[in-house]
Amino acid sequence: MKVEPRRNDPCICGSGKKYKKCCMKKSSVIQLHEVKEERFYQQKHMLTLKIKDFIYKELPASQQYKLFSEFKRRTEHTLSSKNENPFFEFWLIFFHRYENGLRGIEWFISTQEKRLSQDELEMAQTWKSLTPKLVQAVDHDEKSVIFKDMMTNETYPLAKMQENLKDTVAPWSSTFALIEQFDSFYYFNGVRIVQGPENIEKAINVITELQKEQNLSVEQVMMDYYPEVLAAFNMAKVREITEKSEITQYINRYQILNQQALFDLLQAEPHFLIDKWENQLKVSNWVNAWYQYTDNALTEPINIGNVIGTLTIEGNTLTYITLKEDTIEELQSIFHSGLITLQDEQQKTMEVPKTVELKNTVASIPEGAPQYMLLYANHDVRLDLDLKLPLFGDKSVLDLVNEGQTDVVEAYLQQRENNLFTQAQREFKQIEITADFNSVRKELGLPLSPFVTGGTERVTTITEIVSTSEGQTLVKEEDIPVYELLGFTPSTVNTFYSEDLVTFFKEKTDGKSDLTLRKYRNCLFDLREILEGHAVDSWDACDEDFWKQVCLRDLPSLYDPMSKTVAKDFMSTIKALAKWLVKEEKATMTAKAVGHIAKDAEEQLIEYVEGQKVK
């Protein structure tokens, strides 16, 4: 049970002050603010009811209907049926001018002033002075979300409380709303729609056009043309829902001519990943690319495979389903005429929202990691940096950065971050870790996002990798030249030592001279060739007898004659490798074995070389 400290006790926060001089005062201030905040909202609610009641009593039903029709027309029917009436009432109170030339709030004050309490009158006068603002969330702290007025650049700390900000605010969210101050914070007044950052641009364009056409100030445009600005602000979301694009699904059915040969091929080919393998049903995904996503918020990386098609075997029928027509011919070349024969071809056309990207993947995620981390990895913006986008006139993000159009890229990244957060929250509800958009911002030389969990310390990478043998070993694409340099092939790369030799080589030669590079390349090439001739399956299986055989029999068999340089370089390399394996906590026994035989083996090798010269 928690015991409240007494007034003169040391404060529980560890400041060294008495409780009454420290956190007791802070607690009282917080509680006082919460009480005042609650009263503030109660007063807002009661005043709003009075204003609505006044307006509806003053307006005949026929006029209400006429104004409602006008409002829907001017907002271009972009509001949902759920939102139409609240926004209509909001317009009647704050923006619409009646035949007497007054707005609803002005009309209410002029006739009801004497019936209001002093607090109600002060609040009503405050509301009368409010003007709408186009604002975007640009930062946050423990108590507030900082919104920036995109027309004036002023900032407003909006209080983090349920009534004010109902949900966690998505990064770079925007809204078109009235804002009022209370105590040291700001609060939204009335209804509003929260959208992504791109909606701000749509609204600003309409404001600018109306400003020129009507010769009005920005503030007056937003007051007089509230419905039109609201429609523009909301339009992007409406288009996202209503605009469709067509995709075609290809379904080919084949008769299997040789089941066993087909099964063997599916199980042997690394690009076909077995999903289900039962007597009556077999399912395999065709994966054409693998990516590895690392995140310092995770203990292990996520591996993601891009699925281009699915193969299903039922009885003697193989069904191939894909969205990529060009893969059909490739599949038929893999499964030659002796394995399958075409029975039936079908196509299905489907409509999807224009902004929806269909992506089919398989993945392995570390145990205990939140599932939304897989969503982040799948939608990492770095996968698309060099993709030519119609949005940018068939230019890529990298093209725009190189051309100096960083403002366009900034807007694009903000929208991507907002979309991904919104999707993750919709699918998983509680989000404790956000997607990392700061690593890509560092790469592009852009300011960091304040909404990324971990801030400047967050580090993620995404690297294309290739599968080499039944998906057992994953090789980074940039390391392939090193594997080839050391003599590895697709059939020999899946060994316990392949990755270690490549990593060791890279560390020892990074930034070093060509002479050093040649030394380690030649010695590791020889060691790889020797290891391929042995049946050992781990470093710790390489005991003293093994290393004696490697140094005194296997190495000399590769050269005729062998030089002292080869002997000394090889011994130097395996001793360095043994130490490196200990450092990487991979093979303590190997290090001991090499240490025990190294001196004698090197002396015997030198004697062997000198003996060659005598002969």
Side-chain angles (χ1 to χ4, degrees):
M1 186 175 71
K2 184 177 180 181
V3 179
E4 186 75 13
R6 291 174 296 184
R7 289 169 52 83
N8 291 315
D9 286 347
C11 189
I12 53 177
C13 75
S15 65
K17 298 179 182 178
K18 291 183 179 181
Y19 178 60
K20 67 181 180 181
K21 296 289 187 180
C22 193
C23 286
M24 189 176 83
K25 295 174 68 176
K26 295 176 186 176
S27 177
S28 299
V29 170
I30 292 170
Q31 290 175 8
L32 177 61
H33 176 74
E34 289 175 350
V35 170
K36 291 168 67 177
E37 202 171 48
E38 185 177 348
R39 289 176 182 168
F40 170 66
Y41 267 89
Q42 289 174 350
Q43 187 178 327
K44 277 164 65 86
H45 177 67
M46 295 306 297
L47 184 59
T48 300
L49 291 179
K50 287 185 178 183
I51 298 173
K52 284 183 183 179
D53 185 57
F54 167 78
I55 289 175
Y56 279 122
K57 283 180 179 178
E58 295 293 328
L59 286 179
S62 60
Q63 192 173 353
Q64 292 177 30
Y65 178 79
K66 182 180 177 182
L67 286 172
F68 192 39
S69 297
E70 177 189 343
F71 180 75
K72 289 194 289 185
R73 175 181 56 79
R74 291 179 63 184
T75 53
E76 300 181 43
H77 302 276
T78 58
L79 296 169
S80 67
S81 56
K82 181 181 71 174
N83 284 332
E84 271 186 344
N85 199 62
F87 275 91
F88 171 61
E89 292 178 341
F90 189 56
W91 177 61
L92 292 180
I93 294 172
F94 289 100
F95 305 104
H96 176 64
R97 289 196 178 274
Y98 297 88
E99 292 178 358
N100 58 16
L102 299 175
R103 294 182 295 128
I105 182 66
E106 296 169 346
W107 189 6
F108 173 77
I109 292 173
S110 67
T111 60
Q112 304 296 309
E113 182 175 353
K114 294 181 180 178
R115 300 181 184 179
L116 300 175
S117 68
Q118 185 61 33
D119 287 343
E120 287 177 327
L121 181 58
E122 288 179 5
M123 180 172 279
Q125 292 287 3
T126 298
W127 289 7
K128 177 182 172 181
S129 68
L130 299 179
T131 57
K133 302 182 187 301
L134 275 170
V135 293
Q136 180 182 16
V138 295
D139 206 344
H140 65 114
D141 56 34
E142 185 181 349
K143 296 180 180 179
S144 66
V145 177
I146 314 302
F147 279 80
K148 177 181 176 182
D149 188 327
M150 302 307 288
M151 306 303 294
T152 66
N153 291 328
E154 293 179 81
T155 56
Y156 303 91
L158 272 293
K160 282 184 178 178
M161 62 171 298
Q162 186 66 17
E163 289 85 350
N164 197 36
L165 301 172
K166 291 185 179 180
D167 300 307
T168 304
V169 176
W172 312 107
S173 292
S174 63
T175 190
F176 182 44
L178 295 179
I179 297 176
E180 60 184 312
Q181 187 173 8
F182 174 71
D183 269 7
S184 57
F185 291 102
Y186 289 84
Y187 299 80
F188 287 118
N189 184 306
V191 291
R192 63 200 175 278
I193 293 174
V194 178
Q195 303 275 35
E198 68 179 358
N199 297 62
I200 284 278
E201 184 181 352
K202 311 283 185 186
I204 290 175
N205 290 340
V206 167
I207 292 170
T208 304
E209 290 173 9
L210 287 169
Q211 187 185 5
K212 292 177 181 177
E213 289 175 9
Q214 305 299 327
N215 195 26
L216 296 171
S217 67
V218 169
E219 185 177 286
Q220 199 61 51
V221 167
M222 290 193 289
M223 291 291 290
D224 295 352
Y225 293 90
Y226 173 80
E228 286 76 11
V229 177
L230 179 63
F233 177 76
N234 200 37
M235 187 63 74
K237 193 68 177 177
V238 173
R239 285 179 180 156
E240 179 183 322
I241 297 170
T242 58
E243 290 189 359
K244 306 288 184 180
S245 62
E246 287 189 347
I247 62 169
T248 302
Q249 185 183 63
Y250 301 90
I251 305 168
N252 279 21
R253 291 183 177 84
Y254 303 87
Q255 180 184 358
I256 301 174
L257 302 178
N258 187 331
Q259 271 201 355
Q260 192 56 53
L262 181 67
F263 293 168
D264 291 343
L265 181 57
L266 277 175
Q267 292 175 316
E269 174 60 52
H271 293 299
F272 294 117
L273 198 65
I274 303 300
D275 183 40
K276 184 179 291 186
W277 202 261
E278 300 172 352
N279 288 335
Q280 301 301 318
L281 178 65
K282 296 174 175 60
V283 180
S284 178
N285 291 309
W286 187 358
V287 180
N288 73 332
W290 283 92
Y291 297 89
Q292 187 173 80
Y293 174 84
T294 67
D295 191 329
N296 61 354
L298 295 173
T299 56
E300 296 177 38
I302 296 173
N303 292 323
I304 307 166
N306 182 47
V307 177
I308 56 175
T310 300
L311 299 95
T312 303
I313 299 173
E314 293 182 273
N316 208 37
T317 301
L318 167 68
T319 303
Y320 177 60
I321 301 176
T322 184
L323 299 176
K324 299 182 178 298
E325 185 180 12
D326 58 343
T327 64
I328 295 173
E329 186 176 342
E330 185 178 351
L331 179 76
Q332 291 172 173
S333 67
I334 295 172
F335 296 159
H336 51 80
S337 57
L339 294 180
I340 59 173
T341 182
L342 182 64
Q343 284 184 323
D344 178 46
E345 292 178 293
Q346 292 182 16
Q347 295 181 13
K348 285 185 180 179
T349 301
M350 299 175 287
E351 279 194 345
V352 296
K354 198 168 186 178
T355 56
V356 170
E357 177 191 5
L358 292 182
K359 183 182 287 188
N360 187 11
T361 60
V362 291
S364 63
I365 185 168
E367 185 177 352
Q371 287 297 312
Y372 53 78
M373 299 299 285
L374 181 56
L375 179 70
Y376 299 163
N378 265 322
H379 291 83
D380 194 292
V381 69
R382 285 166 291 188
L383 295 172
D384 303 331
L385 287 183
D386 57 356
L387 189 67
K388 306 295 182 182
L389 301 173
L391 173 68
F392 301 139
D394 288 331
K395 292 182 179 179
S396 69
V397 171
L398 292 178
D399 291 336
L400 294 179
V401 171
N402 292 334
E403 293 173 6
Q405 298 188 56
T406 53
D407 55 335
V408 178
V409 177
E410 176 66 35
Y412 173 71
L413 291 180
Q414 287 183 11
Q415 188 62 48
R416 288 279 297 248
E417 187 174 358
N418 178 274
N419 290 346
L420 193 52
F421 181 92
T422 302
Q423 182 180 349
Q425 191 177 55
R426 182 174 60 249
E427 293 182 17
F428 301 98
K429 309 305 179 189
Q430 193 68 28
I431 305 298
E432 296 180 358
I433 304 171
T434 65
D436 173 32
F437 278 77
N438 279 346
S439 291
V440 69
R441 284 174 170 275
K442 291 173 187 176
E443 291 177 20
L444 298 176
L446 296 175
L448 301 188
S449 165
F451 301 101
V452 172
T453 304
T456 58
E457 303 303 316
R458 183 76 172 277
V459 178
T460 60
T461 64
I462 190 156
T463 312
E464 185 171 1
I465 51 183
V466 293
S467 175
T468 58
S469 178
E470 300 181 9
Q472 295 297 312
T473 299
L474 294 172
V475 178
K476 292 182 179 179
E477 188 176 29
E478 67 264 27
D479 287 345
I480 292 176
V482 182
Y483 280 90
E484 293 175 343
L485 186 69
L486 299 184
F488 288 104
T489 66
S491 61
T492 63
V493 75
N494 191 32
T495 57
F496 73 87
Y497 51 83
S498 59
E499 184 179 355
D500 289 335
L501 295 190
V502 166
T503 305
F504 172 72
F505 173 81
K506 287 167 63 180
E507 287 189 16
K508 286 296 182 180
T509 60
D510 184 36
K512 301 295 175 55
S513 66
D514 290 344
L515 185 63
T516 301
L517 189 148
R518 282 196 299 272
K519 167 191 168 181
Y520 281 103
R521 184 268 174 190
N522 292 339
C523 294
L524 293 176
F525 190 97
D526 290 347
L527 179 59
R528 186 266 315 155
E529 189 170 348
I530 291 169
L531 288 169
E532 286 176 5
H534 288 268
V536 289
D537 57 4
S538 70
W539 286 118
D540 283 333
C542 303
D543 56 15
E544 289 186 28
D545 290 338
F546 170 84
W547 286 109
K548 285 180 182 177
Q549 184 175 325
V550 167
C551 299
L552 302 178
R553 192 191 72 181
D554 296 335
L555 180 66
S557 70
L558 297 178
Y559 291 90
D560 186 21
M562 186 173 71
S563 67
K564 277 188 181 181
T565 300
V566 168
K568 290 183 177 181
D569 283 352
F570 186 82
M571 295 305 302
S572 168
T573 299
I574 65 167
K575 284 188 286 186
L577 175 64
K579 290 180 181 178
W580 181 86
L581 289 170
V582 171
K583 183 191 74 167
E584 297 295 315
E585 298 181 353
K586 294 192 174 188
T588 303
M589 298 303 295
T590 283
K592 290 180 179 179
V594 170
H596 289 160
I597 65 97
K599 184 177 179 181
D600 287 343
E602 185 169 353
E603 290 176 354
Q604 291 182 51
L605 276 176
I606 299 301
E607 289 178 6
Y608 168 76
V609 171
E610 291 175 345
Q612 285 180 320
K613 291 180 180 178
V614 171
K615 292 178 183 178

